[in-house]
Amino acid sequence: MVSPKTRYLVFFQYFGTKYSGVMETSVNQSGIGVQNYLEKAAQNLKPVVPIKFHISSRTDSGVHALCNAAHLDIQRAPGKPAFRERELIRGLNHCLKPEPIRILSAYRVTSDFHARFSALSRTYIYRLLLGCAHWSEIPVFERDLCWAPLGGYLDVPAMQDAARFLLGTHDFSTFRSLNSETPFQSPIRTIVQAEIQPSSGFLAHHYESRGLEFWELKFRSKSFLYRQVRRMVGALVAVGQGKLTPHHIKELLEVKDARAFPPHAMAPPSGLFLKSVEYDEADLHTTRAPGE
């Protein structure tokens, strides 16, 4: 008798610097994806069939995640009960211990739940560090976790004015990088949150005399185009540097052409974090079989 599959949604985080991105890579590629490590850890659960993680939100090489999500199906040997959520979390984390990847939580979900398509929204944050005249002035504990634009100073109020043009539903063709999926993806996206707020650095209160400032740019939408957030951040930083005016953001939206994006303006991956993936709470609480 074949035991039934059980579908889970797991939330996980990772320090993205060493990985090629979150998606799996093949053996002939130079980098390794976070998904490769997740699926290798899952094989230690001794499933009947190999476990595949279906990732909610793609992130590039060097991009981090405070909380990404994925669903997976687990079919155990006959007579073995479905894993309880806590068992699954501990089992995966035990095998992931050497890596900067951690499973945060897990939920039993229905068989038609999909981590990517069931998501209501995604939220990204981008960390900026102001006050550094040279890269060597970046605190060592912030390495690969923020971007310190050259010059050290940004006109934040101008950036906040510019960010308002990104809110709402627009054709974001200018703000996406081209890839193999471009011909098949609509460039229309709705940004429901675009904020720039002061933030804090790791142990920054111990070196307040240096006059460094941390800022977070936060964006929320149901989904984003390829490298859209990094290009929006780069354009806003160009406004802060005086290279663009706030109204230029509106003009870039209206031209609807990726080639119109200012050259070399895209923000680097190191400051970008996937903060969260949001779902309907009802999807995370399914009815279990008696005795489970």
Side-chain angles (χ1 to χ4, degrees), residues 242-263:
K243 297 176 181 178
L244 299 176
T245 67
H247 200 266
H248 274 132
I249 301 300
K250 183 174 185 291
E251 294 175 355
L252 286 172
L253 282 169
E254 291 172 344
V255 74
K256 303 174 186 177
D257 187 347
R259 295 168 296 183
F261 189 79

Side-chain angles (χ1 to χ4, degrees), residues 9-276:
L9 172 70
V10 295
F11 292 97
F12 60 100
Q13 63 181 197
Y14 47 90
F15 191 109
T17 302
K18 66 175 285 188
Y19 304 112
S20 64
V22 70
M23 305 303 291
E24 68 177 332
T25 54
S26 58
V27 292
N28 61 346
Q29 291 179 270
S30 56
I32 301 178
V34 172
Q35 184 178 354
N36 294 75
Y37 289 97
L38 291 171
E39 293 180 356
K40 182 180 179 181
Q43 288 311 109
N44 286 279
L45 301 175
K46 297 180 172 56
V48 173
V49 295
I51 294 172
K52 182 80 171 174
F53 279 69
H54 300 268
I55 308 292
S56 167
S57 304
R58 296 187 178 187
T59 58
D60 283 343
S61 175
V63 176
H64 317 289
L66 296 175
C67 187
N68 203 338
H71 78 258
L72 59 151
D73 293 326
I74 301 178
Q75 186 173 2
R76 304 194 70 189
K80 294 279 188 178
F83 285 110
R84 294 178 181 273
E85 287 91 338
R86 185 175 296 180
E87 290 178 313
L88 178 60
I89 295 167
R90 288 179 176 175
L92 291 173
N93 279 336
H94 175 76
C95 301
L96 290 167
K97 189 175 181 180
E99 296 296 321
I101 306 170
R102 288 295 176 271
I103 306 298
L104 302 173
S105 56
Y107 297 87
R108 291 271 298 271
V109 292
T110 59
S111 60
D112 60 349
F113 179 91
H114 197 287
R116 181 180 176 187
F117 301 118
S118 299
L120 300 178
S121 64
R122 283 107 173 147
T123 302
Y124 283 88
I125 58 172
Y126 196 100
R127 299 181 71 238
L128 292 177
L129 171 57
L130 310 187
C132 296
H134 188 264
W135 66 265
S136 61
E137 298 177 10
I138 300 173
V140 67
F141 299 107
E142 293 289 350
R143 180 182 175 184
D144 299 325
L145 296 173
C146 63
W147 177 27
L150 293 178
Y153 169 78
L154 295 176
D155 184 347
V156 174
M159 295 169 62
Q160 291 169 327
D161 288 341
R164 295 188 183 101
F165 289 112
L166 298 171
L167 287 169
T169 303
H170 306 282
D171 183 323
F172 280 94
S173 292
T174 306
F175 289 90
R176 70 172 169 183
S177 292
L178 304 180
N179 66 359
S180 59
E181 294 184 0
T182 300
F184 311 102
Q185 276 192 334
S186 167
I188 307 299
R189 292 292 185 272
T190 301
I191 303 295
V192 298
Q193 186 176 25
E195 296 179 354
I196 305 175
Q197 301 287 345
S199 185
S200 59
F202 180 70
L203 297 176
H205 57 285
H206 289 293
Y207 49 85
E208 289 177 341
S209 60
R210 295 183 59 184
L212 302 180
E213 294 181 14
F214 290 87
W215 291 81
E216 284 185 6
L217 290 76
K218 182 186 291 186
F219 302 94
R220 184 161 61 92
S221 175
K222 180 174 175 58
S223 61
F224 293 88
L225 299 167
Y226 181 51
R227 293 179 174 171
Q228 179 184 346
V229 175
R230 289 172 58 192
R231 286 166 78 96
M232 291 191 299
V233 170
L236 293 175
V237 167
V239 170
Q241 293 172 326
K243 297 176 181 178
L244 299 176
T245 67
H247 200 266
H248 274 132
I249 301 300
K250 183 174 185 291
E251 294 175 355
L252 286 172
L253 282 169
E254 291 172 344
V255 74
K256 303 174 186 177
D257 187 347
R259 295 168 296 183
F261 189 79
H264 312 298
M266 183 170 66
S270 55
L272 183 58
F273 295 73
L274 174 60
K275 178 183 181 294
S276 57

